[in-house]
C-alpha cells in the first residue's frame, strides 16, 4: 500500500476545506472527517476483499447485499432526514431489479471479483440519486406549497397535485447522468475504462465494459429518482403535505 500517495492526496481535500471555511459554507468539518472515514473504509475494504473474492457460493452474496443496503439506507436517512426504511426499500429494490438483469444478460457473471464491485456500484449510485431526488422533491413541494394545497382543496388527489413537482425532481436527478452521457469519451475517461487500461486491458475491451456500466447507470438513476418521488408521495399520504 502506497501510504505516501494516500497522505499526499489529502492535499486535494484540504483545498475545498480551506475554501469552504473562507466562504463560511458550513460543511468543512463534515467534509474533512468524511474524507478520513472514506480512507478508513477503503483501507478496510482492501483487506476484506482478499477474503470476499474467495467466496465460492453465490448464496453468500445475500447477507453482503443486505448489509450494504441497510447501511445505504442509514446514510440516506442521515443525509436527507427522511424515512430510513423507505430509503432501504428504494435502494434495495433497485438492486433486486437490476442485478438479475445484469447477470442474466451476460454483462457480468457471478464470480466475486466481478459481481461484488458491480453490486456496490448499483447500490452506491442508487443511494446518490435517491438522496438527490428526495431533497429536490421536498424543495419543490415547499416552493409550490400553495399550488399543491389548491389542487387538493378542489378535490384533486395528492398524486395529481404532486405530479408537476415529481417530474421536476426526476428531471433534476437525471442531470448528472445526462451530462455524463454527453461528455463520456470526449471530456472524461470514466473510472472503469481508466482502471482496466491501467491494468493492461485492450482499449476496446475496456470500452465495452464501460458502455454496459454507463447504460446500467441510466436505469439506476431513473429507477432511484422515480422511487424517491413515490416515497415522498407516500410520506405525504401518511403525514400530510407539506411535511418536514
Amino acid at each position: 500500500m502506497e501510504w505516501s500517495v494516500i497522505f499526499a492526496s489529502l492535499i486535494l481535500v484540504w483545498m475545498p476545506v480551506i475554501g469552504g471555511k473562507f466562504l463560511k459554507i458550513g460543511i468543512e468539518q463534515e467534509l474533512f472527517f468524511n474524507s478520513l472515514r472514506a480512507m478508513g473504509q477503503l483501507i478496510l475494504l482492501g483487506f476484506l476483499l482478499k477474503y470476499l473474492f474467495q467466496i465460492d457460493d453465490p448464496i453468500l452474496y445475500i447477507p453482503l447485499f443486505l448489509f450494504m443496503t441497510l447501511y445505504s439506507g442509514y446514510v440516506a436517512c442521515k443525509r436527507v432526514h427522511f424515512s430510513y426504511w423507505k430509503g432501504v426499500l428504494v435502494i434495495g429494490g433497485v438492486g433486486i431489479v437490476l442485478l438479475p438483469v445484469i447477470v442474466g444478460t451476460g454483462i457480468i457473471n457471478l464470480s466475486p471479483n466481478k459481481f461484488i464491485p458491480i453490486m456496490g456500484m448499483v447500490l452506491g449510485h442508487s443511494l446518490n440519486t435517491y438522496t438527490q431526488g428526495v431533497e429536490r422533491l421536498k424543495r419543490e413541494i415547499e416552493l409550490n406549497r400553495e399550488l399543491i394545497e389548491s389542487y387538493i382543496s378542489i378535490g384533486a388527489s395528492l398524486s395529481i397535485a404532486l405530479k408537476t413537482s415529481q417530474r421536476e425532481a426526476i428531471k433534476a436527478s437525471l442531470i448528472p447522468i445526462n451530462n455524463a452521457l454527453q461528455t463520456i469519451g470526449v471530456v472524461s475517461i470514466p473510472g472503469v475504462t481508466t482502471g482496466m487500461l491501467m491494468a493492461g486491458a485492450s482499449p476496446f475491451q475496456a470500452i465495452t465494459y464501460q458502455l454496459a456500466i454507463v447504460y446500467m447507470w441510466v436505469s439506476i438513476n431513473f429507477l432511484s429518482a422515480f422511487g424517491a418521488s413515490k416515497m415522498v408521495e407516500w410520506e405525504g399520504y401518511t403525514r400530510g403535505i407539506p411535511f418536514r
Side-chain angles (χ1 to χ4, degrees):
M1 187 176 294
E2 296 288 343
W3 290 101
S4 59
V5 174
I6 292 174
F7 287 115
S9 63
L10 279 174
I11 296 173
L12 302 173
V13 176
W14 277 111
M15 293 168 63
V17 167
I18 295 172
K21 190 75 172 177
F22 178 76
L23 296 172
K24 298 181 180 180
I25 294 175
I27 63 167
E28 305 81 32
Q29 185 175 352
E30 181 184 7
L31 186 64
F32 177 71
F33 283 110
N34 280 343
S35 298
L36 294 181
R37 174 188 288 184
M39 180 195 300
Q41 289 173 176
L42 284 174
I43 292 172
L44 177 62
L45 177 65
F47 288 110
L48 288 177
L49 285 178
K50 178 180 179 181
Y51 301 99
L52 291 175
F53 282 176
Q54 296 176 9
I55 293 176
D56 56 4
D57 186 355
I59 200 71
L60 296 177
Y61 295 146
I62 295 176
L64 182 60
F65 175 84
L66 289 174
F67 171 77
M68 294 167 72
T69 301
L70 292 173
Y71 185 73
S72 296
Y74 163 75
V75 173
C77 177
K78 186 176 179 181
R79 179 62 56 192
V80 295
H81 306 291
F82 195 64
S83 169
Y84 170 74
W85 288 109
K86 288 183 174 67
V88 170
L89 182 63
V90 172
I91 297 168
V94 170
I96 291 171
V97 169
L98 289 185
L99 286 172
V101 174
I102 295 167
V103 173
T105 53
I107 295 173
I108 61 167
N109 55 41
L110 288 173
S111 59
N113 65 316
K114 294 181 179 178
F115 185 81
I116 292 175
I118 292 295
M119 180 169 65
M121 192 178 296
V122 169
L123 297 177
H125 277 273
S126 180
L127 165 63
N128 291 338
T129 307
Y130 169 79
T131 54
Q132 290 172 2
V134 170
E135 191 65 34
R136 179 59 183 258
L137 184 49
K138 288 172 69 175
R139 190 179 303 118
E140 288 286 333
I141 290 171
E142 188 62 32
L143 291 173
N144 298 294
R145 177 176 57 186
E146 293 182 0
L147 178 61
I148 292 169
E149 290 177 341
S150 297
Y151 271 111
I152 294 173
S153 68
I154 61 174
S157 67
L158 182 60
S159 178
I160 293 174
L162 290 179
K163 193 172 292 294
T164 300
S165 296
Q166 288 174 323
R167 284 173 179 163
E168 291 302 314
I170 292 173
K171 283 167 60 178
S173 300
L174 294 176
I175 288 174
I177 188 61
N178 262 325
N179 289 342
L181 291 171
Q182 289 178 335
T183 60
I184 192 169
V186 178
V187 177
S188 63
I189 301 178
V192 172
T193 301
T194 301
M196 292 185 69
L197 290 175
M198 292 176 67
S202 70
F204 284 105
Q205 183 184 18
I207 288 168
T208 300
Y209 276 99
Q210 186 65 69
L211 274 173
I213 288 172
V214 168
Y215 294 154
M216 177 184 75
W217 290 345
V218 176
S219 287
I220 294 170
N221 286 21
F222 176 78
L223 292 175
S224 301
F226 177 77
S229 73
K230 287 302 177 182
M231 290 302 106
V232 173
E233 181 183 326
W234 183 6
E235 190 82 355
Y237 275 113
T238 57
R239 294 180 54 191
I241 293 291
F243 57 85
R244 297 188 184 278

